[in-house]
Amino acid sequence: MCGVLGLILGHVGDDPDAPCKAAVALHEALYFLQHRGQDACGIATCAAGGRIYQCKGNGMAAKVFADGMRVQDLPGSMGIGHLRYPTAGTSSNAESQPFAHNGNLINAPDLRQYLDTVAHRHINTDSDSELMLNVFANELNETGKARVNTDDIFTALSRMYKRCSGGWACTAMIAGFGVLGFRDSYGIRPLVLGEKESDTLPGARDYMLASESIALRQLGFSNIRDILPGQAVFIQKGRAPVFHQVQEPKAYSPDIFEYVYFARPDTVIDGISVHASRQRMGYKLADKIRELLGDEAIKDIDAVIPIPETSNTSAASVSERLGLKFCQGFVKNRYVFRTFIMPQQGARQKGVRRKLSAIQTEFEGRCVLLVDDSIVRGTTSKEIVAMAREAGARKVIFASCAPPITAPHIYGIDLASPTELIASGKDRFAIAKSIDAEEVIYQDLDDLKAACAELSPPNGPTEFEVGVFCGKYVTPVPEGYFDHLNQMRGTKRKHATHAQISSSGPTIIVGGSQTGINGSSSPVEVLGVKDPLEAVRNGAISPMRDDISIHNLANEPERR
């Protein structure tokens, strides 16, 4: 799971001092999507002559951009942004890509072999983003053109879709030409497009792509629409968006975990309000609690307490439906972020108590019903139950808005391996014993799906990706993929500190060599040709091309 952004301003200005800086809006939007990735982030912009400027690094947006001070170093009227949450490979800014990708490729080993033996492209990281970027670049290279047009881009995407399997939502930038967005043919990962009037040029329109609608809405964008399964959109400088179905939809099955946990409650995904879906999850969970416990046991419950913040909405619905007192028994530390997406188990365990603390008066002598969005490894749940007991709770009942998670997630969310999942091979009674609760109650899968489907608009999704709960995924899964996934998780843990790879993969530029962040130089590959002069001679590229280059701000000191 990552956050992606793309922006092209209606006011195209090549003057470095012009007010049309896409980076300002992209930087602001990063904060609205920060919950989608805390590992690394970056922004790449395109300025005069097609020159690309980028700033990326490990950590959250405020750190990487020095509280906004680095934004002034990113000129240009178009750009893309990325917030990285590591799913496979290393936790590194090397994998915070100028090509912004949210999702996971489930045929990555096959793609890596294809790129090595057929396309002859060097892959520098374990990132799926780099694989997809290279497949796309190779398909563009097949046109043999120095300058591609919109049709070429869509044709190259169609061929890329035939090679890639999995779930994704991506934004990309064609230097000096425009911004591109596209979504997998199952609609697993979300992507939306909005527009607004230009702030600096009357009559012009700005267009922005984002993983969640809230990032657009808060920046004043309207006419927000979902990019549909298998659909792509390209926005050329100074022109309206062009939509194209690059692959026929194979399903319309967004990942239900977006509604359960990942997305912000003020977001709308595929026409379904995340907040409203969580309300319905709470009502349906309350009915399940009544069914399992009975009216007498419910009368013994003194308070319904949410585990902040994702479950706040659902817990309020549980309280309302059961006629029980609702109270905020835990205080969330605003300066500690999501422990679930911390890359290491030890960090997650330590982070729980840093993130949450119990209000003793809300627990002392009470039977409490704790409501959380889900139970994954049980790490957080066990610590929370312990805190409730330390605060004086006489009985703890733990309820999950999601069903038991028994299978790995394969579309961009690193939940855990099956051996780490607390529900793997256990019933709810064994799980209650493991986390030291009197009862553990799970939402039924059919009720979870109904909580979202009942809110779906006409022509919206009615089915969802729910493989983590039942092991049945919407896409075919290649043989041996789960072994590959476990191997990649092991690699990620082994290299959990800063990765030693310092570039984000091959960069299409012209002339000389590219200097990496660590000061090393490597030969530059130009449109798949190792010899730029030969490429000029055979017509693959135009001579005297100085219109595409990357200026890496990570090499420069911060401005003060």
Side-chain angles (χ1 to χ4, degrees), residues 22-285:
V24 174
L26 287 169
H27 173 254
E28 185 70 16
L30 288 177
Y31 294 97
F32 295 110
L33 300 181
Q34 185 72 82
H35 60 287
R36 299 188 68 87
Q38 300 169 193
D39 187 64
C41 67
I43 290 173
T45 59
C46 185
R51 193 180 193 194
I52 295 173
Y53 292 74
Q54 71 174 15
C55 181
K56 66 177 184 175
N58 287 335
M60 291 186 283
K63 173 189 173 185
V64 172
F65 292 93
D67 294 321
M69 295 182 66
R70 302 309 299 263
V71 174
Q72 62 185 321
D73 300 323
L74 295 168
S77 54
M78 71 174 80
I80 56 177
H82 187 203
L83 292 144
R84 174 168 162 77
Y85 159 72
T87 55
T90 58
S91 298
S92 166
N93 65 0
E95 297 180 6
S96 174
Q97 301 282 345
F99 172 85
H101 169 273
N102 172 30
N104 210 43
L105 297 175
I106 60 176
N107 64 333
D110 293 339
L111 291 175
R112 190 174 295 274
Q113 183 177 11
Y114 161 75
L115 290 168
D116 181 29
T117 61
V118 179
H120 305 299
R121 286 181 168 267
H122 174 68
I123 302 302
N124 210 33
T125 72
D126 291 325
S127 170
D128 285 357
S129 306
E130 189 185 358
L131 291 175
M132 181 171 274
L133 172 61
N134 274 272
V135 173
F136 179 47
N138 189 65
E139 297 298 345
L140 282 177
N141 186 47
E142 291 296 312
T143 66
K145 295 181 179 180
R147 296 288 191 276
V148 296
N149 58 35
T150 302
D151 289 340
D152 294 328
I153 291 170
F154 290 143
T155 299
L157 271 181
S158 294
R159 293 200 296 262
M160 185 200 78
Y161 271 57
K162 292 176 182 178
R163 296 193 183 277
C164 297
S165 298
W168 60 78
C170 303
T171 59
M173 184 167 57
I174 310 295
F177 190 27
V179 169
L180 173 68
F182 52 95
R183 189 179 184 189
D184 69 84
S185 57
Y186 296 87
I188 297 169
R189 302 258 65 86
L191 188 65
V192 290
L193 172 72
E195 61 180 281
K196 73 178 185 69
E197 292 185 7
S198 169
D199 294 330
T200 56
L201 183 63
R205 309 286 297 174
D206 300 340
Y207 296 95
M208 192 171 196
L209 290 151
S211 296
E212 294 187 29
S213 61
I214 183 60
L216 305 182
R217 191 158 50 84
Q218 289 297 95
L219 293 178
F221 287 82
S222 59
N223 296 330
I224 297 172
R225 59 173 290 178
D226 294 282
I227 305 302
L228 298 175
Q231 189 179 63
V233 59
F234 184 73
I235 310 113
Q236 188 176 342
K237 289 191 301 184
R239 298 191 183 180
V242 177
F243 296 88
H244 187 76
Q245 197 70 39
V246 295
Q247 188 174 71
E248 287 302 310
K250 297 179 180 179
Y252 198 169
S253 302
D255 186 352
I256 208 162
F257 234 89
E258 292 281 356
Y259 302 98
V260 170
Y261 174 76
F262 282 112
R264 285 177 47 142
D266 44 6
T267 280
V268 176
I269 298 175
D270 292 306
I272 300 172
S273 162
V274 175
H275 174 74
S277 71
R278 289 176 184 168
Q279 283 182 316
R280 295 203 175 205
M281 290 176 206
Y283 292 136
K284 293 178 185 298
L285 179 59

Side-chain angles (χ1 to χ4, degrees), residues 223-545:
N223 296 330
I224 297 172
R225 59 173 290 178
D226 294 282
I227 305 302
L228 298 175
Q231 189 179 63
V233 59
F234 184 73
I235 310 113
Q236 188 176 342
K237 289 191 301 184
R239 298 191 183 180
V242 177
F243 296 88
H244 187 76
Q245 197 70 39
V246 295
Q247 188 174 71
E248 287 302 310
K250 297 179 180 179
Y252 198 169
S253 302
D255 186 352
I256 208 162
F257 234 89
E258 292 281 356
Y259 302 98
V260 170
Y261 174 76
F262 282 112
R264 285 177 47 142
D266 44 6
T267 280
V268 176
I269 298 175
D270 292 306
I272 300 172
S273 162
V274 175
H275 174 74
S277 71
R278 289 176 184 168
Q279 283 182 316
R280 295 203 175 205
M281 290 176 206
Y283 292 136
K284 293 178 185 298
L285 179 59
D287 293 340
K288 180 68 178 294
I289 292 169
R290 187 181 297 278
E291 175 190 333
L292 291 180
L293 297 185
D295 291 337
E296 289 303 314
I298 288 174
K299 291 177 183 177
D300 186 47
I301 298 173
D302 298 297
V304 176
I305 297 178
I307 311 304
E309 292 179 331
T310 315
S311 63
N312 287 358
T313 303
S314 298
S317 295
V318 170
S319 168
E320 178 188 339
R321 179 81 92 188
L322 296 179
L324 298 172
K325 178 183 178 182
F326 175 83
C327 67
Q328 296 284 355
F330 289 100
V331 175
K332 181 180 178 181
N333 185 340
R334 301 288 180 179
Y335 303 99
V336 177
F337 294 88
R338 285 183 154 177
T339 57
F340 170 81
I341 60 176
M342 289 179 177
Q344 294 298 301
Q345 175 79 347
R348 284 189 292 268
Q349 288 176 312
K350 292 179 181 178
V352 174
R353 286 183 181 259
R354 283 200 302 267
K355 184 178 76 169
L356 296 176
S357 58
I359 302 173
Q360 189 168 346
T361 54
E362 301 300 322
F363 290 91
E364 208 162 31
R366 285 180 165 183
C367 171
V368 293
L369 171 57
L370 305 184
V371 178
D372 206 352
D373 50 77
S374 59
I375 305 173
V376 183
R377 298 171 181 87
T379 305
T380 300
S381 306
K382 187 172 183 177
E383 291 291 331
I384 287 170
V385 172
M387 285 191 282
R389 295 201 184 279
E390 291 164 11
R394 63 179 173 85
K395 186 183 288 187
V396 179
I397 300 169
F398 205 100
S400 167
C401 294
I405 297 172
T406 56
H409 196 288
I410 64 173
Y411 304 114
I413 301 173
D414 187 14
L415 288 179
S417 67
T419 57
E420 296 172 312
L421 296 170
I422 194 170
S424 181
K426 292 189 180 79
D427 61 17
R428 69 183 188 91
F429 302 106
I431 294 168
K433 185 176 181 180
S434 295
I435 68 172
D436 194 29
E438 271 73 19
E439 291 274 1
V440 167
I441 299 171
Y442 284 99
Q443 182 90 265
D444 284 337
L445 180 55
D446 287 343
D447 285 341
L448 176 61
K449 291 192 289 186
C452 299
E454 289 167 0
L455 297 165
S456 184
N459 301 318
T462 56
E463 293 295 328
F464 300 87
E465 162 48 38
V466 294
V468 292
F469 306 118
C470 59
K472 298 177 181 178
Y473 302 94
V474 297
T475 68
V477 181
E479 185 178 353
Y481 176 72
F482 294 109
D483 292 335
H484 166 74
L485 196 62
N486 288 333
Q487 181 182 1
M488 294 304 295
R489 284 197 179 100
T491 301
K492 186 175 72 173
R493 291 186 184 113
K494 183 177 179 181
H495 300 288
T497 54
H498 296 300
Q500 297 176 358
I501 299 170
S502 59
S503 79
S504 62
T507 302
I508 303 174
I509 63 176
V510 172
S513 64
Q514 180 188 359
T515 301
I517 296 173
N518 61 0
S520 64
S521 296
S522 58
V524 173
E525 183 179 336
V526 183
L527 294 175
V529 181
K530 295 185 179 299
D531 185 353
L533 295 179
E534 178 63 25
V536 170
R537 284 193 293 271
N538 66 26
I541 61 173
S542 302
M544 304 299 290
R545 282 191 68 178

